[in-house]
mmCIF file of all heavy atoms in Angstrom:
data_model
loop_
_atom_site.group_PDB
_atom_site.id
_atom_site.type_symbol
_atom_site.label_atom_id
_atom_site.label_comp_id
_atom_site.label_asym_id
_atom_site.label_seq_id
_atom_site.Cartn_x
_atom_site.Cartn_y
_atom_site.Cartn_z
ATOM 1 N N VAL A 680 45.246 140.356 -56.972
ATOM 2 C CA VAL A 680 44.459 139.493 -57.851
ATOM 3 C C VAL A 680 45.021 138.074 -58.024
ATOM 4 O O VAL A 680 44.358 137.131 -57.997
ATOM 5 C CB VAL A 680 44.277 140.174 -59.268
ATOM 6 C CG1 VAL A 680 43.646 139.233 -60.307
ATOM 7 C CG2 VAL A 680 43.381 141.434 -59.185
ATOM 8 N N LEU A 681 46.353 137.963 -58.307
ATOM 9 C CA LEU A 681 46.975 136.679 -58.443
ATOM 10 C C LEU A 681 46.871 135.902 -57.230
ATOM 11 O O LEU A 681 46.591 134.713 -57.259
ATOM 12 C CB LEU A 681 48.561 136.978 -58.792
ATOM 13 C CG LEU A 681 48.973 137.313 -60.171
ATOM 14 C CD1 LEU A 681 50.438 137.640 -60.215
ATOM 15 C CD2 LEU A 681 48.601 136.140 -61.023
ATOM 16 N N LEU A 682 47.128 136.445 -55.975
ATOM 17 C CA LEU A 682 47.087 135.719 -54.761
ATOM 18 C C LEU A 682 45.633 135.350 -54.461
ATOM 19 O O LEU A 682 45.359 134.252 -53.818
ATOM 20 C CB LEU A 682 47.860 136.377 -53.674
ATOM 21 C CG LEU A 682 49.279 136.496 -54.033
ATOM 22 C CD1 LEU A 682 50.051 137.328 -52.798
ATOM 23 C CD2 LEU A 682 49.993 135.204 -54.240
ATOM 24 N N ALA A 683 44.638 136.142 -54.807
ATOM 25 C CA ALA A 683 43.255 135.854 -54.442
ATOM 26 C C ALA A 683 42.862 134.619 -55.303
ATOM 27 O O ALA A 683 42.246 133.825 -54.741
ATOM 28 C CB ALA A 683 42.339 137.052 -54.772
ATOM 29 N N VAL A 684 43.124 134.651 -56.581
ATOM 30 C CA VAL A 684 42.833 133.465 -57.452
ATOM 31 C C VAL A 684 43.552 132.224 -56.856
ATOM 32 O O VAL A 684 42.904 131.170 -56.917
ATOM 33 C CB VAL A 684 43.218 133.813 -58.963
ATOM 34 C CG1 VAL A 684 43.022 132.567 -59.865
ATOM 35 C CG2 VAL A 684 42.252 134.876 -59.522
ATOM 36 N N ALA A 685 44.825 132.397 -56.596
ATOM 37 C CA ALA A 685 45.587 131.271 -56.117
ATOM 38 C C ALA A 685 45.022 130.798 -54.721
ATOM 39 O O ALA A 685 44.921 129.448 -54.623
ATOM 40 C CB ALA A 685 46.996 131.580 -55.885
ATOM 41 N N ALA A 686 44.533 131.679 -53.836
ATOM 42 C CA ALA A 686 43.949 131.243 -52.605
ATOM 43 C C ALA A 686 42.593 130.466 -52.812
ATOM 44 O O ALA A 686 42.421 129.501 -52.101
ATOM 45 C CB ALA A 686 43.762 132.509 -51.769
ATOM 46 N N ILE A 687 41.817 130.807 -53.746
ATOM 47 C CA ILE A 687 40.578 130.000 -54.065
ATOM 48 C C ILE A 687 40.986 128.655 -54.385
ATOM 49 O O ILE A 687 40.335 127.663 -54.052
ATOM 50 C CB ILE A 687 39.704 130.780 -55.111
ATOM 51 C CG1 ILE A 687 39.242 132.044 -54.639
ATOM 52 C CG2 ILE A 687 38.639 129.854 -55.691
ATOM 53 C CD1 ILE A 687 38.540 133.020 -55.755
ATOM 54 N N ILE A 688 41.968 128.516 -55.339
ATOM 55 C CA ILE A 688 42.445 127.151 -55.785
ATOM 56 C C ILE A 688 43.016 126.404 -54.688
ATOM 57 O O ILE A 688 42.760 125.153 -54.488
ATOM 58 C CB ILE A 688 43.434 127.255 -56.968
ATOM 59 C CG1 ILE A 688 42.815 128.039 -58.086
ATOM 60 C CG2 ILE A 688 43.984 125.956 -57.363
ATOM 61 C CD1 ILE A 688 41.623 127.312 -58.838
ATOM 62 N N TRP A 689 43.742 127.121 -53.762
ATOM 63 C CA TRP A 689 44.250 126.450 -52.572
ATOM 64 C C TRP A 689 43.258 125.858 -51.697
ATOM 65 O O TRP A 689 43.225 124.790 -51.106
ATOM 66 C CB TRP A 689 45.179 127.372 -51.799
ATOM 67 C CG TRP A 689 46.516 127.460 -52.278
ATOM 68 C CD1 TRP A 689 47.076 127.997 -53.438
ATOM 69 C CD2 TRP A 689 47.754 126.915 -51.614
ATOM 70 N NE1 TRP A 689 48.366 127.902 -53.468
ATOM 71 C CE2 TRP A 689 48.889 127.264 -52.223
ATOM 72 C CE3 TRP A 689 47.954 126.287 -50.362
ATOM 73 C CZ2 TRP A 689 50.175 126.881 -51.969
ATOM 74 C CZ3 TRP A 689 49.240 125.968 -50.002
ATOM 75 C CH2 TRP A 689 50.282 126.323 -50.836
ATOM 76 N N ALA A 690 42.143 126.744 -51.455
ATOM 77 C CA ALA A 690 41.083 126.344 -50.560
ATOM 78 C C ALA A 690 40.333 125.162 -51.143
ATOM 79 O O ALA A 690 40.002 124.211 -50.463
ATOM 80 C CB ALA A 690 40.144 127.599 -50.433
ATOM 81 N N GLY A 691 40.041 125.155 -52.452
ATOM 82 C CA GLY A 691 39.393 124.027 -53.111
ATOM 83 C C GLY A 691 40.267 122.790 -53.006
ATOM 84 O O GLY A 691 39.738 121.660 -52.758
ATOM 85 N N PHE A 692 41.630 122.922 -53.203
ATOM 86 C CA PHE A 692 42.534 121.830 -53.048
ATOM 87 C C PHE A 692 42.333 121.153 -51.638
ATOM 88 O O PHE A 692 42.211 120.030 -51.471
ATOM 89 C CB PHE A 692 43.888 122.135 -53.434
ATOM 90 C CG PHE A 692 44.930 121.085 -53.247
ATOM 91 C CD1 PHE A 692 45.106 120.095 -54.180
ATOM 92 C CD2 PHE A 692 45.765 121.125 -52.100
ATOM 93 C CE1 PHE A 692 46.020 119.097 -53.991
ATOM 94 C CE2 PHE A 692 46.689 120.126 -51.929
ATOM 95 C CZ PHE A 692 46.865 119.135 -52.768
ATOM 96 N N VAL A 693 42.506 122.004 -50.709
ATOM 97 C CA VAL A 693 42.525 121.514 -49.282
ATOM 98 C C VAL A 693 41.221 120.974 -48.990
ATOM 99 O O VAL A 693 41.042 119.798 -48.427
ATOM 100 C CB VAL A 693 42.931 122.685 -48.353
ATOM 101 C CG1 VAL A 693 42.626 122.349 -46.836
ATOM 102 C CG2 VAL A 693 44.370 123.148 -48.487
ATOM 103 N N TRP A 694 40.121 121.715 -49.344
ATOM 104 C CA TRP A 694 38.725 121.310 -48.969
ATOM 105 C C TRP A 694 38.374 119.887 -49.578
ATOM 106 O O TRP A 694 37.821 118.965 -48.906
ATOM 107 C CB TRP A 694 37.763 122.255 -49.307
ATOM 108 C CG TRP A 694 36.283 121.989 -48.935
ATOM 109 C CD1 TRP A 694 35.314 121.647 -49.740
ATOM 110 C CD2 TRP A 694 35.792 122.192 -47.522
ATOM 111 N NE1 TRP A 694 34.219 121.539 -49.014
ATOM 112 C CE2 TRP A 694 34.532 121.779 -47.626
ATOM 113 C CE3 TRP A 694 36.337 122.486 -46.303
ATOM 114 C CZ2 TRP A 694 33.614 121.755 -46.512
ATOM 115 C CZ3 TRP A 694 35.550 122.461 -45.223
ATOM 116 C CH2 TRP A 694 34.233 122.140 -45.341
ATOM 117 N N GLN A 695 38.778 119.733 -50.838
ATOM 118 C CA GLN A 695 38.252 118.587 -51.631
ATOM 119 C C GLN A 695 39.328 117.441 -51.482
ATOM 120 O O GLN A 695 38.971 116.229 -51.214
ATOM 121 C CB GLN A 695 37.975 118.961 -53.047
ATOM 122 C CG GLN A 695 37.334 117.768 -53.871
ATOM 123 C CD GLN A 695 36.783 118.077 -55.100
ATOM 124 O OE1 GLN A 695 36.123 119.128 -55.260
ATOM 125 N NE2 GLN A 695 37.102 117.342 -56.145
ATOM 126 N N VAL A 696 40.502 117.719 -51.840
ATOM 127 C CA VAL A 696 41.536 116.605 -52.023
ATOM 128 C C VAL A 696 42.017 116.152 -50.578
ATOM 129 O O VAL A 696 42.156 115.047 -50.403
ATOM 130 C CB VAL A 696 42.715 117.065 -52.901
ATOM 131 C CG1 VAL A 696 43.788 116.029 -53.042
ATOM 132 C CG2 VAL A 696 42.211 117.419 -54.378
ATOM 133 N N LEU A 697 42.343 117.079 -49.741
ATOM 134 C CA LEU A 697 42.986 116.675 -48.456
ATOM 135 C C LEU A 697 41.828 116.351 -47.443
ATOM 136 O O LEU A 697 42.030 115.516 -46.655
ATOM 137 C CB LEU A 697 43.882 117.901 -47.893
ATOM 138 C CG LEU A 697 45.003 118.201 -48.777
ATOM 139 C CD1 LEU A 697 45.825 119.346 -48.198
ATOM 140 C CD2 LEU A 697 45.892 117.040 -49.106
ATOM 141 N N LEU A 698 40.662 117.121 -47.467
ATOM 142 C CA LEU A 698 39.695 116.813 -46.520
ATOM 143 C C LEU A 698 38.575 115.901 -47.024
ATOM 144 O O LEU A 698 37.734 115.483 -46.132
ATOM 145 C CB LEU A 698 39.058 118.127 -45.934
ATOM 146 C CG LEU A 698 40.117 119.095 -45.237
ATOM 147 C CD1 LEU A 698 39.407 120.388 -44.829
ATOM 148 C CD2 LEU A 698 40.676 118.413 -44.112
ATOM 149 N N GLY A 699 38.543 115.624 -48.267
ATOM 150 C CA GLY A 699 37.535 114.775 -48.765
ATOM 151 C C GLY A 699 36.108 115.251 -49.047
ATOM 152 O O GLY A 699 35.232 114.550 -49.247
ATOM 153 N N ASN A 700 35.915 116.664 -48.881
ATOM 154 C CA ASN A 700 34.620 117.248 -49.191
ATOM 155 C C ASN A 700 34.541 117.575 -50.697
ATOM 156 O O ASN A 700 35.502 117.795 -51.400
ATOM 157 C CB ASN A 700 34.396 118.432 -48.331
ATOM 158 C CG ASN A 700 34.544 117.929 -46.818
ATOM 159 O OD1 ASN A 700 33.859 117.121 -46.306
ATOM 160 N ND2 ASN A 700 35.303 118.817 -46.124
ATOM 161 N N SER A 701 33.285 117.886 -51.125
ATOM 162 C CA SER A 701 33.032 118.421 -52.500
ATOM 163 C C SER A 701 33.239 119.887 -52.397
ATOM 164 O O SER A 701 32.637 120.614 -51.552
ATOM 165 C CB SER A 701 31.659 118.199 -52.986
ATOM 166 O OG SER A 701 31.559 116.732 -53.181
ATOM 167 N N PHE A 702 34.002 120.497 -53.488
ATOM 168 C CA PHE A 702 34.155 121.905 -53.499
ATOM 169 C C PHE A 702 33.297 122.449 -54.667
ATOM 170 O O PHE A 702 33.560 122.231 -55.770
ATOM 171 C CB PHE A 702 35.690 122.161 -53.807
ATOM 172 C CG PHE A 702 36.130 123.620 -53.780
ATOM 173 C CD1 PHE A 702 35.896 124.367 -52.662
ATOM 174 C CD2 PHE A 702 36.361 124.276 -55.019
ATOM 175 C CE1 PHE A 702 36.336 125.789 -52.695
ATOM 176 C CE2 PHE A 702 36.724 125.702 -55.046
ATOM 177 C CZ PHE A 702 36.666 126.394 -53.908
ATOM 178 N N GLY A 703 32.257 123.218 -54.276
ATOM 179 C CA GLY A 703 31.372 123.734 -55.188
ATOM 180 C C GLY A 703 30.157 122.818 -55.559
ATOM 181 O O GLY A 703 30.100 121.692 -55.168
ATOM 182 N N SER A 704 29.226 123.428 -56.299
ATOM 183 C CA SER A 704 27.999 122.629 -56.689
ATOM 184 C C SER A 704 28.221 121.636 -57.828
ATOM 185 O O SER A 704 27.535 120.603 -57.852
ATOM 186 C CB SER A 704 26.903 123.597 -57.072
ATOM 187 O OG SER A 704 27.255 124.423 -58.228
ATOM 188 N N LYS A 705 29.179 121.908 -58.653
ATOM 189 C CA LYS A 705 29.705 120.955 -59.668
ATOM 190 C C LYS A 705 31.133 120.712 -59.560
ATOM 191 O O LYS A 705 31.898 121.257 -60.323
ATOM 192 C CB LYS A 705 29.241 121.434 -61.093
ATOM 193 C CG LYS A 705 27.763 121.577 -61.293
ATOM 194 C CD LYS A 705 27.490 122.053 -62.668
ATOM 195 C CE LYS A 705 26.002 122.154 -62.930
ATOM 196 N NZ LYS A 705 25.741 122.606 -64.278
ATOM 197 N N PRO A 706 31.510 119.960 -58.552
ATOM 198 C CA PRO A 706 32.943 119.814 -58.215
ATOM 199 C C PRO A 706 33.840 119.086 -59.451
ATOM 200 O O PRO A 706 33.330 118.241 -60.099
ATOM 201 C CB PRO A 706 33.110 119.001 -56.911
ATOM 202 C CG PRO A 706 31.792 118.302 -56.923
ATOM 203 C CD PRO A 706 30.772 119.238 -57.706
ATOM 204 N N ALA A 707 34.916 119.579 -59.664
ATOM 205 C CA ALA A 707 35.967 118.909 -60.626
ATOM 206 C C ALA A 707 36.438 117.706 -59.911
ATOM 207 O O ALA A 707 36.312 117.538 -58.642
ATOM 208 C CB ALA A 707 37.055 119.865 -60.867
ATOM 209 N N SER A 708 37.001 116.806 -60.740
ATOM 210 C CA SER A 708 37.535 115.554 -60.084
ATOM 211 C C SER A 708 38.792 115.939 -59.348
ATOM 212 O O SER A 708 39.314 117.109 -59.377
ATOM 213 C CB SER A 708 37.981 114.611 -61.160
ATOM 214 O OG SER A 708 38.980 115.095 -61.934
ATOM 215 N N ASP A 709 39.227 115.085 -58.402
ATOM 216 C CA ASP A 709 40.438 115.435 -57.620
ATOM 217 C C ASP A 709 41.641 115.522 -58.546
ATOM 218 O O ASP A 709 42.493 116.422 -58.309
ATOM 219 C CB ASP A 709 40.713 114.203 -56.619
ATOM 220 C CG ASP A 709 39.688 114.303 -55.440
ATOM 221 O OD1 ASP A 709 38.953 115.149 -55.412
ATOM 222 O OD2 ASP A 709 39.827 113.319 -54.604
ATOM 223 N N VAL A 710 41.816 114.722 -59.610
ATOM 224 C CA VAL A 710 42.917 114.905 -60.524
ATOM 225 C C VAL A 710 42.855 116.327 -61.149
ATOM 226 O O VAL A 710 43.994 116.973 -61.295
ATOM 227 C CB VAL A 710 42.881 113.843 -61.645
ATOM 228 C CG1 VAL A 710 43.910 114.147 -62.656
ATOM 229 C CG2 VAL A 710 43.039 112.505 -60.999
ATOM 230 N N GLN A 711 41.691 116.711 -61.654
ATOM 231 C CA GLN A 711 41.581 118.119 -62.160
ATOM 232 C C GLN A 711 41.975 119.211 -61.222
ATOM 233 O O GLN A 711 42.648 120.186 -61.594
ATOM 234 C CB GLN A 711 40.177 118.301 -62.718
ATOM 235 C CG GLN A 711 39.881 117.527 -63.930
ATOM 236 C CD GLN A 711 38.329 117.655 -64.292
ATOM 237 O OE1 GLN A 711 37.462 117.713 -63.418
ATOM 238 N NE2 GLN A 711 38.045 117.579 -65.522
ATOM 239 N N LEU A 712 41.430 118.932 -60.011
ATOM 240 C CA LEU A 712 41.891 120.034 -59.065
ATOM 241 C C LEU A 712 43.276 119.962 -58.622
ATOM 242 O O LEU A 712 43.859 121.103 -58.387
ATOM 243 C CB LEU A 712 40.879 119.715 -57.669
ATOM 244 C CG LEU A 712 40.618 120.924 -56.786
ATOM 245 C CD1 LEU A 712 40.163 122.104 -57.597
ATOM 246 C CD2 LEU A 712 39.739 120.546 -55.674
ATOM 247 N N VAL A 713 43.929 118.954 -58.609
ATOM 248 C CA VAL A 713 45.392 118.909 -58.366
ATOM 249 C C VAL A 713 46.044 119.568 -59.508
ATOM 250 O O VAL A 713 47.027 120.312 -59.268
ATOM 251 C CB VAL A 713 45.850 117.347 -58.235
ATOM 252 C CG1 VAL A 713 47.396 117.253 -58.283
ATOM 253 C CG2 VAL A 713 45.367 116.759 -56.873
ATOM 254 N N VAL A 714 45.618 119.351 -60.713
ATOM 255 C CA VAL A 714 46.280 120.014 -61.843
ATOM 256 C C VAL A 714 46.119 121.597 -61.739
ATOM 257 O O VAL A 714 47.063 122.275 -61.987
ATOM 258 C CB VAL A 714 45.759 119.465 -63.241
ATOM 259 C CG1 VAL A 714 46.217 120.393 -64.378
ATOM 260 C CG2 VAL A 714 46.259 118.095 -63.400
ATOM 261 N N LEU A 715 44.891 121.967 -61.386
ATOM 262 C CA LEU A 715 44.706 123.490 -61.278
ATOM 263 C C LEU A 715 45.489 123.988 -60.114
ATOM 264 O O LEU A 715 45.971 125.102 -60.241
ATOM 265 C CB LEU A 715 43.191 123.658 -60.920
ATOM 266 C CG LEU A 715 42.218 123.626 -62.101
ATOM 267 C CD1 LEU A 715 40.724 123.716 -61.617
ATOM 268 C CD2 LEU A 715 42.492 124.655 -63.033
ATOM 269 N N PHE A 716 45.567 123.178 -59.037
ATOM 270 C CA PHE A 716 46.432 123.581 -57.917
ATOM 271 C C PHE A 716 47.934 123.879 -58.317
ATOM 272 O O PHE A 716 48.514 124.819 -57.877
ATOM 273 C CB PHE A 716 46.363 122.634 -56.768
ATOM 274 C CG PHE A 716 47.279 122.859 -55.662
ATOM 275 C CD1 PHE A 716 47.078 123.907 -54.724
ATOM 276 C CD2 PHE A 716 48.423 122.102 -55.439
ATOM 277 C CE1 PHE A 716 47.976 124.201 -53.736
ATOM 278 C CE2 PHE A 716 49.301 122.296 -54.445
ATOM 279 C CZ PHE A 716 49.107 123.329 -53.581
ATOM 280 N N LEU A 717 48.333 122.884 -59.109
ATOM 281 C CA LEU A 717 49.799 122.957 -59.580
ATOM 282 C C LEU A 717 50.080 124.183 -60.473
ATOM 283 O O LEU A 717 51.020 124.912 -60.394
ATOM 284 C CB LEU A 717 50.253 121.654 -60.143
ATOM 285 C CG LEU A 717 50.424 120.532 -59.187
ATOM 286 C CD1 LEU A 717 50.750 119.249 -59.904
ATOM 287 C CD2 LEU A 717 51.439 120.756 -58.056
ATOM 288 N N LEU A 718 49.064 124.303 -61.512
ATOM 289 C CA LEU A 718 49.235 125.366 -62.509
ATOM 290 C C LEU A 718 48.830 126.734 -61.999
ATOM 291 O O LEU A 718 49.577 127.659 -62.125
ATOM 292 C CB LEU A 718 48.331 125.015 -63.745
ATOM 293 C CG LEU A 718 48.724 123.848 -64.518
ATOM 294 C CD1 LEU A 718 47.778 123.606 -65.642
ATOM 295 C CD2 LEU A 718 50.119 124.039 -65.128
ATOM 296 N N ILE A 719 47.789 126.864 -61.321
ATOM 297 C CA ILE A 719 47.174 128.187 -60.939
ATOM 298 C C ILE A 719 47.567 128.535 -59.494
ATOM 299 O O ILE A 719 47.952 129.642 -59.227
ATOM 300 C CB ILE A 719 45.654 128.279 -61.141
ATOM 301 C CG1 ILE A 719 45.438 128.114 -62.769
ATOM 302 C CG2 ILE A 719 45.145 129.598 -60.718
ATOM 303 C CD1 ILE A 719 43.988 128.049 -63.006
ATOM 304 N N GLY A 720 47.509 127.569 -58.617
ATOM 305 C CA GLY A 720 47.726 127.854 -57.154
ATOM 306 C C GLY A 720 49.225 127.961 -56.950
ATOM 307 O O GLY A 720 49.668 128.841 -56.028
ATOM 308 N N LEU A 721 50.156 127.297 -57.584
ATOM 309 C CA LEU A 721 51.462 127.435 -57.418
ATOM 310 C C LEU A 721 52.186 127.994 -58.555
ATOM 311 O O LEU A 721 53.096 128.976 -58.441
ATOM 312 C CB LEU A 721 52.159 125.974 -57.153
ATOM 313 C CG LEU A 721 51.756 125.349 -55.878
ATOM 314 C CD1 LEU A 721 52.361 123.897 -55.786
ATOM 315 C CD2 LEU A 721 52.245 126.123 -54.715
ATOM 316 N N GLY A 722 51.969 127.543 -59.845
ATOM 317 C CA GLY A 722 52.713 127.979 -61.001
ATOM 318 C C GLY A 722 52.563 129.364 -61.416
ATOM 319 O O GLY A 722 53.522 130.090 -61.714
ATOM 320 N N PHE A 723 51.278 129.843 -61.430
ATOM 321 C CA PHE A 723 51.028 131.165 -61.827
ATOM 322 C C PHE A 723 51.658 132.195 -60.899
ATOM 323 O O PHE A 723 52.425 133.102 -61.583
ATOM 324 C CB PHE A 723 49.477 131.361 -61.877
ATOM 325 C CG PHE A 723 48.961 132.349 -63.050
ATOM 326 C CD1 PHE A 723 49.481 132.247 -64.345
ATOM 327 C CD2 PHE A 723 48.090 133.343 -62.646
ATOM 328 C CE1 PHE A 723 49.001 133.081 -65.206
ATOM 329 C CE2 PHE A 723 47.688 134.277 -63.557
ATOM 330 C CZ PHE A 723 48.132 134.123 -64.991
ATOM 331 N N PRO A 724 51.519 132.216 -59.682
ATOM 332 C CA PRO A 724 52.235 133.152 -58.771
ATOM 333 C C PRO A 724 53.715 133.011 -58.933
ATOM 334 O O PRO A 724 54.388 134.081 -58.973
ATOM 335 C CB PRO A 724 51.756 132.788 -57.387
ATOM 336 C CG PRO A 724 50.493 132.176 -57.509
ATOM 337 C CD PRO A 724 50.565 131.334 -58.824
ATOM 338 N N LEU A 725 54.208 131.805 -59.050
ATOM 339 C CA LEU A 725 55.809 131.722 -59.184
ATOM 340 C C LEU A 725 56.180 132.299 -60.499
ATOM 341 O O LEU A 725 57.336 132.912 -60.600
ATOM 342 C CB LEU A 725 56.076 130.134 -59.036
ATOM 343 C CG LEU A 725 57.551 129.821 -59.114
ATOM 344 C CD1 LEU A 725 58.348 130.513 -58.005
ATOM 345 C CD2 LEU A 725 57.783 128.325 -59.106
ATOM 346 N N PHE A 726 55.404 132.053 -61.565
ATOM 347 C CA PHE A 726 55.764 132.519 -62.863
ATOM 348 C C PHE A 726 55.856 134.128 -62.806
ATOM 349 O O PHE A 726 56.862 134.703 -63.272
ATOM 350 C CB PHE A 726 54.669 132.091 -63.919
ATOM 351 C CG PHE A 726 54.955 132.700 -65.246
ATOM 352 C CD1 PHE A 726 55.937 132.269 -66.039
ATOM 353 C CD2 PHE A 726 54.063 133.732 -65.744
ATOM 354 C CE1 PHE A 726 56.112 132.684 -67.383
ATOM 355 C CE2 PHE A 726 54.211 134.258 -66.936
ATOM 356 C CZ PHE A 726 55.174 133.737 -67.819
#
């Protein structure tokens, strides 16, 4: 469960922030996605 949720955040981060595409029908801003990536994609599994 933890890694599946983190993988979704990682995919969104890569797709939107690194590749410049929109992630989802109502995409978050790049800043919001970076914060989610740091907190949920990295922080939660590490915690």
Side-chain angles (χ1 to χ4, degrees):
V680 170
L681 279 172
L682 296 177
V684 171
I687 292 168
I688 299 298
W689 274 71
F692 174 78
V693 169
W694 186 253
Q695 183 170 316
V696 176
L697 299 181
L698 299 177
N700 301 312
S701 293
F702 183 69
S704 60
K705 294 183 180 180
S708 71
D709 286 358
V710 171
Q711 290 171 326
L712 207 49
V713 167
V714 169
L715 283 174
F716 172 73
L717 292 173
L718 290 176
I719 298 172
L721 295 176
F723 212 50
L725 183 61
F726 176 75

